[in-house]
Amino acid sequence: MTPRRSIVVEVLSPFGDPQIFWEIHHNALNQFNDILITVVDLDRPAAKSRLFYDGIRFNWREVIEDDAETGCTRKMAVRLKPKADGKPSTVNDASDEDTGYIGEIRLPWYGLGAPKDRGTTRIVEEGARRRCCAAPGKWPDRR
């Protein structure tokens, strides 16, 4: 039977604020869920408000947005691994045992909250179509 659990990934903010990060859930049915989490020190007044639980706020209404400016979109895909006998896996079929799945997620850089001055993409116009390409990054050298 396929496990009904999601792959959970925490994308910590490399954008200068370690108290804000995304938690991402992705499962074998290709269902995607994201939660913006804010953490504050317990000695701060906000930590004791109804907005926070033990200094943590789960911002359920915030979502990783597509980047309309560059056309970069959120996208995800799942492929079930074949069963041990080589036959295809089936999601949530109690009569078989699956071996797992492979998931892939593409997230818009700016949708995660990256500062615009740190952009690492450029827009390429191809007739009526626009696409994102890699560009030299502006991140500081951390050697």
Side-chain angles (χ1 to χ4, degrees):
M1 182 169 160
T2 301
R4 289 178 172 84
R5 288 179 241 148
S6 298
I7 293 175
V8 177
V9 177
E10 290 184 354
V11 180
L12 300 178
S13 176
F15 312 122
D17 192 342
Q19 293 181 297
I20 299 174
F21 60 93
W22 289 98
E23 183 172 289
I24 297 168
H25 303 240
H26 190 220
N27 68 20
L29 292 170
N30 204 31
Q31 295 166 331
F32 178 85
N33 176 319
D34 55 354
I35 306 163
L36 182 64
I37 297 176
T38 306
V39 180
V40 296
D41 295 326
L42 291 174
D43 59 346
R44 294 192 54 198
K48 295 166 188 68
S49 74
R50 289 187 174 206
L51 294 174
F52 289 82
Y53 178 78
D54 285 338
I56 301 171
R57 173 148 170 87
F58 297 94
N59 302 290
W60 301 101
R61 293 185 179 156
E62 294 294 328
V63 295
I64 298 172
E65 296 180 7
D66 292 337
D67 184 3
E69 184 179 320
T70 63
C72 296
T73 59
R74 184 179 61 179
K75 193 166 184 171
M76 62 283 315
V78 167
R79 180 173 56 86
L80 291 164
K81 292 181 177 182
K83 293 187 287 189
D85 62 7
K87 293 182 181 176
S89 290
T90 52
V91 177
N92 296 333
D93 182 350
S95 68
D96 69 358
E97 187 168 327
D98 298 322
T99 57
Y101 66 99
I102 298 168
E104 183 176 348
I105 302 172
R106 177 180 71 195
L107 300 172
W109 188 240
Y110 295 131
L112 288 171
K116 289 199 176 215
D117 67 343
R118 304 277 177 97
T120 58
T121 58
R122 61 185 169 88
I123 302 168
V124 175
E125 303 280 344
E126 295 173 336
R129 190 170 161 250
R130 299 171 73 177
R131 65 182 178 93
C132 297
C133 294
K138 297 179 183 175
W139 295 101
D141 187 0
R142 297 186 179 173
R143 286 186 235 169

